[in-house]
Amino acid sequence: MSLDLAKWELPGDSPSQQVPVALLLAAAFFGLLLAVYTHAYVFATPIATQIPNPRLNSSLSRQHFRGLPIFVFHRLAKICVVSMFPMKDFSPLKYGFLNLTVELLLSYLRVANVLTILRQHSKTLPYSCRIPTWSMWSKAFTSILLYSTASSVCFYLPIYLIQLAGSLDERLGVSETVQFISLLGTIMVLYFGLVVPTYAIFIRVAASAQRGESMTIRGAWQGFSWSSRVHFYQLLGVVLFLEAGVTVVIVLSVFALCHPTVHDDVFQLFVRYFG
């Protein structure tokens, strides 16, 4: 049994009913994104740099969203650049290299975001050390390249495997359940085996550059204490769960909007934002 998503409609849908649903989905989407940012950046940065008691107070405040404007500008700039390239003949390999290139071009903003978040924990630093300089960026470039490569592989390799499974579906003779479990396992291995450690290395190298030091990638990981690693992995596990929630909201939006081309549009936006 197949499902034609382009013609699928919610029972009893009408314009008056769709507006509250759209508002609810939009609120859930932006709420989850803010939660992702807070955990993946504001909480993760001090944990990676092993700052004592990095968690903020439970009450919501501006500190929970420190560096958010930089993050939003980075994402908007990334979407604008990637949108210049057509997706008619989508290739995971091609867009993987494109994503890596764009990330490197916007890497200054990545470093600026880390230093902005660390600013609340480093009040004694002179203001000049809180703005990325060419020296800071160059010291962190190798770690940025490593992290961006890991992120691209984690995102685009599963997409490639989905395409491959679709083209070999009849020959494989494997159930969709097995394919889904295999795909989920691949994502988990890539995320926790590549993305999480390289992200911690990037944060630690950028923080050392802020202090005028030059930390190697190997030294950044070896100097990361075991207890801090555990806390970091736990936190990034929460981030993965929250991002899964974002994906679920996007899928629900596809079903709720019921536009003939919305499925392709949402997929393209998903690739441009999360890629």
Side-chain angles (χ1 to χ4, degrees):
M1 182 178 67
S2 62
L3 180 65
D4 189 352
L5 296 180
K7 298 180 180 179
W8 194 89
E9 294 184 0
L10 292 173
D13 270 353
S14 65
S16 61
Q17 292 174 325
Q18 288 179 349
V19 171
V21 173
L23 292 176
L24 182 62
L25 290 172
F29 179 74
F30 287 109
L32 284 170
L33 285 183
L34 289 176
V36 168
Y37 175 78
T38 301
H39 286 76
Y41 293 86
V42 180
F43 291 160
T45 298
I47 289 178
T49 52
Q50 303 181 102
I51 294 176
N53 302 319
R55 287 304 185 100
L56 302 176
N57 296 327
S58 57
S59 58
L60 202 62
S61 66
R62 289 187 303 172
Q63 292 183 342
H64 287 80
F65 306 110
R66 182 176 289 274
L68 182 60
I70 299 175
F71 171 79
V72 172
F73 182 76
H74 173 273
R75 289 296 172 172
L76 291 178
K78 181 178 179 179
I79 291 173
C80 290
V81 174
V82 176
S83 298
M84 298 177 183
F85 298 85
M87 297 187 68
K88 294 181 180 179
D89 300 320
F90 177 78
S91 168
L93 180 61
K94 179 180 71 175
Y95 271 84
F97 280 112
L98 174 61
N99 176 74
L100 177 60
T101 302
V102 174
E103 282 289 347
L104 295 179
L105 290 174
L106 300 175
S107 57
Y108 179 88
L109 296 174
R110 287 278 194 181
V111 178
N113 184 258
V114 172
L115 301 189
T116 301
I117 294 171
L118 288 175
R119 181 178 169 184
Q120 65 183 341
H121 303 287
S122 306
K123 303 288 187 180
T124 58
L125 283 175
Y127 190 79
S128 59
C129 293
R130 300 171 184 174
I131 302 175
T133 62
W134 172 264
S135 176
M136 293 179 188
W137 175 84
S138 62
K139 290 177 180 178
F141 181 78
T142 304
S143 63
I144 295 171
L145 176 61
L146 184 64
Y147 170 57
S148 299
T149 302
S151 299
S152 297
V153 171
C154 184
F155 184 84
Y156 288 99
L157 180 58
I159 294 179
Y160 171 75
L161 294 178
I162 292 174
Q163 292 183 343
L164 184 63
S167 61
L168 300 177
D169 191 26
E170 296 181 357
R171 299 184 225 173
L172 290 175
V174 180
S175 66
E176 293 182 356
T177 302
V178 174
Q179 293 182 29
F180 175 76
I181 294 175
S182 301
L183 179 64
L184 184 62
T186 301
I187 294 174
M188 298 288 285
V189 170
L190 292 174
Y191 183 77
F192 289 105
L194 289 179
V195 177
V196 174
T198 55
Y199 182 42
I201 289 171
F202 159 63
I203 294 175
R204 291 177 59 77
V205 172
S208 69
Q210 182 189 45
R211 299 189 298 267
E213 303 172 357
S214 183
M215 182 182 291
T216 63
I217 291 177
R218 184 175 181 180
W221 184 247
Q222 289 180 342
F224 197 21
S225 68
W226 177 254
S227 61
S228 296
R229 291 183 192 181
V230 171
H231 292 154
F232 194 78
Y233 268 87
Q234 290 175 341
L235 183 67
L236 270 292
V238 174
V239 172
L240 183 61
F241 176 79
L242 291 171
E243 289 182 337
V246 173
T247 304
V248 170
V249 172
I250 291 177
V251 172
L252 291 176
S253 300
V254 170
F255 283 104
L257 292 175
C258 305
H259 190 277
T261 62
V262 73
H263 313 99
D264 293 336
D265 294 339
V266 170
F267 173 73
Q268 293 179 18
L269 179 61
F270 184 79
V271 170
R272 289 165 182 164
Y273 183 88
F274 290 101

